[in-house]
Amino acid sequence: MEEVKNGEKLTLVTRKPCFGLPTACPTCLPVYIYLRFAQLPFDVEYNLIYPDSDQIPYVEFGSHVVYNNEKGGVIQSLKDEQTVDLDSDVSGIPEWVSTKAMVESWLAEAVMYELWVGSDGSSAQKIYYSDLPWPIGKCLYFKQIHMVKQLLGITKGNAERREEEIYRRAATAYNALSTRLGEQSFFFENRPTSLDAIFLGHALFTLHALPETSVLRSKLLDHANLVRYAENLKAEFVDADSSSSSVSPSRSDPSSSMPKRGPSNWKSNPKSKPKREKTEEEKKFKRRAKYFLVTQLVAVLVFISLLGGSNDAEVEFEDGDDGLDYE
């Protein structure tokens, strides 16, 4: 916090904006909102060609880089390192802890299901793959469908039961959140916390990025106070013109400006000075970028060939393919 107060900005690397949102990725949007809630200056850079990277979003700050796939995610890392902590007064409240866990599990699971399995895939294609060549984007999309089904435990035999369970839990979560919120502006202590950032990101994605036919969207629309909460905070923290964040040119490689992992390799130079490791990574990226599309294509072709060796996998792959337009 001291370095931030001295004028050094954070840089959030995220996926691109669309659907009227600053980033349409349901994992990235809560991090963006959390930083806006904290009212700290930060730059935004977009990654367009690594749709399957679990490092994104990540935040650079001085000598630190915190990744989505480490330490419980970006928000938790920022709290642990005392860079940005909005939860210091509520983290000991049992109801806050259980409500946040419900949002991070039941509602996150429901969005994952809708985005990859329970819809026609148009939203996922636009968010993750529209900047890639069509064959590679399509193959990566099918690969992700298969991975999500495995993660959610969906098989041909239990697909209907799992769908019912996912939506039932989402409806229960919305009911509990609606009751908790009432007519307040925030869920606890009349101020934003990470719970608000996570749920607001979920709500805005559900309302704006999912199609009108979305079952999850219809369940959220049943709760007028949750919709009003989402739109009011969107107007105040997301849409409002502010000098607290700025957009920088797109970044292609999620590791092109990162220091290597581990505290011993974190740099102490401020961002306004040259960073030696960063320059070396940029040199490496010049070589990697040339072969990126080829290696991605090889990876998905290997995946498809391995998938074809299993009858069960073939069935699951075909299931995720229903209703898609190949034209």
Side-chain angles (χ1 to χ4, degrees), residues 192-211:
T193 68
S194 64
L195 167 61
D196 294 278
I198 294 167
F199 177 72
L200 181 58
H202 165 87
L204 293 180
F205 177 84
T206 302
L207 293 171
H208 293 275
L210 292 180

Side-chain angles (χ1 to χ4, degrees), residues 170-211:
T172 300
Y174 288 150
N175 288 334
L177 288 164
S178 178
T179 300
R180 171 67 207 180
L181 180 66
E183 298 303 318
Q184 301 178 105
S185 298
F186 300 100
F187 285 105
F188 287 85
E189 303 294 324
N190 197 32
R191 65 174 186 81
T193 68
S194 64
L195 167 61
D196 294 278
I198 294 167
F199 177 72
L200 181 58
H202 165 87
L204 293 180
F205 177 84
T206 302
L207 293 171
H208 293 275
L210 292 180

